[in-house]
Amino acid sequence: MHQLEISDLITAVDPRSGLRLPVRRAEVIEQLRASGDGRAAGIVAGLPADQDGVLDPHAVDRLLISVHTELQRLSEELRIGERLVHVLGPLLAAVRAITRQSGPNCLVDVGCGLGYLVRWLAATNALGADVELIGVDLDASLVGEAERLARAEGLNCRFIHGNAFDMPKAATVYVSTGVLHHFRGAALAEFFRAQAASPAQAFCHFDIAATRLAPIGAWIYHRARMRHPLGRHDGFVSARRAHSDETLLRAADVPGIRPLLYEPRGTVNPFCTTLRPVIGVRPPLEEPLRRALGRAARRLVGPEYLAEAAR
C-alpha cells in the first residue's frame, strides 16, 4: 500500500461547493495505521481536536500555512521559478505564434498553496505583460494567505478559492508544482482529461522525479530544513509517491493532447535531478515549442520514448 501524506488527510473540502468538511482525528489515525505508518498516526494524534474528536480547523490551518511557508523556502532554494520559466517561456512563445490572440494569455496555477510561483512570476514579469497570473486552490486558508502576501508585496496577480477546472474564465496554460503525486490511479488520468476538455492550449506540471535517490535526498533535506514533524514526514513520503516517467506519459496521453516529458529519467544525472515537468500541448503547438526551445528541445520526449527505452 502507498504511504499517505498527512496534509491530504487532515483537511477535507466539498469539491463542488468548496465548503470545509469536518475531519475526525480517529479516522485519520486509523487510515495511517492501516497503511502501516504508525509514525504519521502519532503526529496526527498530537493535533488538537474538539470533544467530538473533530480536528480543530483553525489549528490545522495555522499548521499548514506554517509548513507551506517552509515549502516556499524550498522553492526558492531549488529556484523553481527559474526552472518553470525555462520551459514556460518557450511554451507561451509557441502559443502566441499559433493563436495570435489579442487579449492576455491566462496562466492558472493548480493547487497554488501560498502562491509562491504566481507571486514570483508577478514580481519578475518573467513571462511578459500579456500573461494574466491566477492561483487556484481548494484550501481557503492557503488562498487567503496567498492574497495577503500578494497585497503586501504589491503584485499584479490574483488567487481564487475553488476548482481550477471550473472557473468562469478559461486558462490558456495550466501549471503546477508538486501536485501530480497527490493523484493516484484513475484520478491522475482524470486530472489530465479535465485539461484536455477545457479550452486550454497546454499544460506544464512540475513534480518530483522518481529516481532511486529521490527518497534519500528528500529525507535528508526535510530533516535538515523542516521544523514540524508533519513537514518532514510529508516531504519524504511525497518523494516515495512520485510517479514514474512511464506513468506520467501514459496518463497524460488523452484525446486532443500531445504528451511530452522534459528531461526523462534516463537522460539526466540522478544526483542533480529534483523536479521535472510533464507537458501537454495541442498537436499544432509541438513544432513551435521545439523551435522555441532551441537546443534544449533535445531533452523533450514523447510516448515513443517509452518504446525505445524498453528495447
Side-chain angles (χ1 to χ4, degrees), residues 232-244:
R232 294 175 179 174
H233 173 275
D234 281 9
F236 169 66
V237 171
S238 63
R240 295 194 64 181
R241 286 163 55 90
H243 294 298
S244 68

PDB file of all heavy atoms in Angstrom, residues 232-244:
ATOM      1  N   ARG A 232       8.334  17.235   7.710  1.00  0.00           N
ATOM      2  CA  ARG A 232       9.392  16.252   7.486  1.00  0.00           C
ATOM      3  C   ARG A 232       8.810  14.959   6.926  1.00  0.00           C
ATOM      4  O   ARG A 232       9.356  14.362   5.991  1.00  0.00           O
ATOM      5  CB  ARG A 232      10.121  15.964   8.800  1.00  0.00           C
ATOM      6  CG  ARG A 232      10.893  17.150   9.356  1.00  0.00           C
ATOM      7  CD  ARG A 232      11.476  16.815  10.719  1.00  0.00           C
ATOM      8  NE  ARG A 232      12.241  17.933  11.254  1.00  0.00           N
ATOM      9  CZ  ARG A 232      12.765  17.960  12.465  1.00  0.00           C
ATOM     10  NH1 ARG A 232      12.623  16.908  13.270  1.00  0.00           N
ATOM     11  NH2 ARG A 232      13.441  19.006  12.889  1.00  0.00           N
ATOM     12  N   HIS A 233       7.707  14.524   7.518  1.00  0.00           N
ATOM     13  CA  HIS A 233       7.068  13.289   7.079  1.00  0.00           C
ATOM     14  C   HIS A 233       6.578  13.397   5.641  1.00  0.00           C
ATOM     15  O   HIS A 233       6.894  12.568   4.784  1.00  0.00           O
ATOM     16  CB  HIS A 233       5.888  12.948   8.000  1.00  0.00           C
ATOM     17  CG  HIS A 233       5.076  11.774   7.530  1.00  0.00           C
ATOM     18  ND1 HIS A 233       4.052  11.906   6.614  1.00  0.00           N
ATOM     19  CD2 HIS A 233       5.158  10.450   7.830  1.00  0.00           C
ATOM     20  CE1 HIS A 233       3.534  10.717   6.372  1.00  0.00           C
ATOM     21  NE2 HIS A 233       4.192   9.819   7.096  1.00  0.00           N
ATOM     22  N   ASP A 234       5.787  14.433   5.351  1.00  0.00           N
ATOM     23  CA  ASP A 234       5.178  14.541   4.029  1.00  0.00           C
ATOM     24  C   ASP A 234       6.214  14.799   2.938  1.00  0.00           C
ATOM     25  O   ASP A 234       6.052  14.348   1.801  1.00  0.00           O
ATOM     26  CB  ASP A 234       4.122  15.648   4.019  1.00  0.00           C
ATOM     27  CG  ASP A 234       2.820  15.196   4.653  1.00  0.00           C
ATOM     28  OD1 ASP A 234       2.794  14.103   5.245  1.00  0.00           O
ATOM     29  OD2 ASP A 234       1.822  15.945   4.565  1.00  0.00           O
ATOM     30  N   GLY A 235       7.279  15.525   3.265  1.00  0.00           N
ATOM     31  CA  GLY A 235       8.319  15.761   2.272  1.00  0.00           C
ATOM     32  C   GLY A 235       8.981  14.470   1.817  1.00  0.00           C
ATOM     33  O   GLY A 235       9.245  14.269   0.627  1.00  0.00           O
ATOM     34  N   PHE A 236       9.234  13.570   2.769  1.00  0.00           N
ATOM     35  CA  PHE A 236       9.829  12.279   2.440  1.00  0.00           C
ATOM     36  C   PHE A 236       8.847  11.393   1.683  1.00  0.00           C
ATOM     37  O   PHE A 236       9.182  10.797   0.653  1.00  0.00           O
ATOM     38  CB  PHE A 236      10.291  11.593   3.729  1.00  0.00           C
ATOM     39  CG  PHE A 236      10.686  10.155   3.555  1.00  0.00           C
ATOM     40  CD1 PHE A 236      11.805   9.812   2.800  1.00  0.00           C
ATOM     41  CD2 PHE A 236       9.940   9.146   4.136  1.00  0.00           C
ATOM     42  CE1 PHE A 236      12.170   8.480   2.640  1.00  0.00           C
ATOM     43  CE2 PHE A 236      10.299   7.814   3.983  1.00  0.00           C
ATOM     44  CZ  PHE A 236      11.414   7.480   3.225  1.00  0.00           C
ATOM     45  N   VAL A 237       7.615  11.340   2.176  1.00  0.00           N
ATOM     46  CA  VAL A 237       6.611  10.480   1.541  1.00  0.00           C
ATOM     47  C   VAL A 237       6.293  10.946   0.124  1.00  0.00           C
ATOM     48  O   VAL A 237       6.067  10.133  -0.777  1.00  0.00           O
ATOM     49  CB  VAL A 237       5.331  10.428   2.401  1.00  0.00           C
ATOM     50  CG1 VAL A 237       4.193   9.715   1.666  1.00  0.00           C
ATOM     51  CG2 VAL A 237       5.615   9.719   3.717  1.00  0.00           C
ATOM     52  N   SER A 238       6.286  12.259  -0.099  1.00  0.00           N
ATOM     53  CA  SER A 238       5.986  12.760  -1.438  1.00  0.00           C
ATOM     54  C   SER A 238       7.004  12.243  -2.455  1.00  0.00           C
ATOM     55  O   SER A 238       6.654  11.944  -3.605  1.00  0.00           O
ATOM     56  CB  SER A 238       5.953  14.287  -1.449  1.00  0.00           C
ATOM     57  OG  SER A 238       7.216  14.831  -1.107  1.00  0.00           O
ATOM     58  N   ALA A 239       8.269  12.125  -2.058  1.00  0.00           N
ATOM     59  CA  ALA A 239       9.288  11.588  -2.965  1.00  0.00           C
ATOM     60  C   ALA A 239       9.056  10.112  -3.235  1.00  0.00           C
ATOM     61  O   ALA A 239       9.281   9.627  -4.352  1.00  0.00           O
ATOM     62  CB  ALA A 239      10.680  11.812  -2.375  1.00  0.00           C
ATOM     63  N   ARG A 240       8.593   9.387  -2.229  1.00  0.00           N
ATOM     64  CA  ARG A 240       8.308   7.968  -2.419  1.00  0.00           C
ATOM     65  C   ARG A 240       7.077   7.762  -3.298  1.00  0.00           C
ATOM     66  O   ARG A 240       6.937   6.723  -3.947  1.00  0.00           O
ATOM     67  CB  ARG A 240       8.095   7.279  -1.070  1.00  0.00           C
ATOM     68  CG  ARG A 240       9.330   7.261  -0.191  1.00  0.00           C
ATOM     69  CD  ARG A 240       9.174   6.304   0.965  1.00  0.00           C
ATOM     70  NE  ARG A 240       9.051   4.928   0.504  1.00  0.00           N
ATOM     71  CZ  ARG A 240       8.874   3.881   1.315  1.00  0.00           C
ATOM     72  NH1 ARG A 240       8.793   4.063   2.623  1.00  0.00           N
ATOM     73  NH2 ARG A 240       8.756   2.666   0.837  1.00  0.00           N
ATOM     74  N   ARG A 241       6.185   8.747  -3.321  1.00  0.00           N
ATOM     75  CA  ARG A 241       4.947   8.638  -4.103  1.00  0.00           C
ATOM     76  C   ARG A 241       5.106   9.198  -5.521  1.00  0.00           C
ATOM     77  O   ARG A 241       4.138   9.206  -6.293  1.00  0.00           O
ATOM     78  CB  ARG A 241       3.825   9.403  -3.387  1.00  0.00           C
ATOM     79  CG  ARG A 241       3.293   8.682  -2.155  1.00  0.00           C
ATOM     80  CD  ARG A 241       2.509   9.621  -1.248  1.00  0.00           C
ATOM     81  NE  ARG A 241       1.421  10.303  -1.921  1.00  0.00           N
ATOM     82  CZ  ARG A 241       0.165   9.847  -2.009  1.00  0.00           C
ATOM     83  NH1 ARG A 241      -0.132   8.665  -1.470  1.00  0.00           N
ATOM     84  NH2 ARG A 241      -0.772  10.540  -2.601  1.00  0.00           N
ATOM     85  N   ALA A 242       6.284   9.693  -5.858  1.00  0.00           N
ATOM     86  CA  ALA A 242       6.489  10.295  -7.171  1.00  0.00           C
ATOM     87  C   ALA A 242       6.182   9.292  -8.281  1.00  0.00           C
ATOM     88  O   ALA A 242       6.514   8.111  -8.190  1.00  0.00           O
ATOM     89  CB  ALA A 242       7.927  10.794  -7.294  1.00  0.00           C
ATOM     90  N   HIS A 243       5.544   9.784  -9.344  1.00  0.00           N
ATOM     91  CA  HIS A 243       5.181   8.930 -10.471  1.00  0.00           C
ATOM     92  C   HIS A 243       6.379   8.713 -11.398  1.00  0.00           C
ATOM     93  O   HIS A 243       7.193   9.623 -11.621  1.00  0.00           O
ATOM     94  CB  HIS A 243       4.053   9.566 -11.284  1.00  0.00           C
ATOM     95  CG  HIS A 243       2.766   9.674 -10.538  1.00  0.00           C
ATOM     96  ND1 HIS A 243       2.083   8.565 -10.077  1.00  0.00           N
ATOM     97  CD2 HIS A 243       2.012  10.757 -10.195  1.00  0.00           C
ATOM     98  CE1 HIS A 243       0.962   8.963  -9.471  1.00  0.00           C
ATOM     99  NE2 HIS A 243       0.910  10.280  -9.532  1.00  0.00           N
ATOM    100  N   SER A 244       6.452   7.553 -11.971  1.00  0.00           N
ATOM    101  CA  SER A 244       7.499   7.264 -12.950  1.00  0.00           C
ATOM    102  C   SER A 244       7.227   8.015 -14.249  1.00  0.00           C
ATOM    103  O   SER A 244       6.108   8.480 -14.508  1.00  0.00           O
ATOM    104  CB  SER A 244       7.543   5.758 -13.242  1.00  0.00           C
ATOM    105  OG  SER A 244       6.360   5.366 -13.939  1.00  0.00           O
TER     106      SER A 244
END
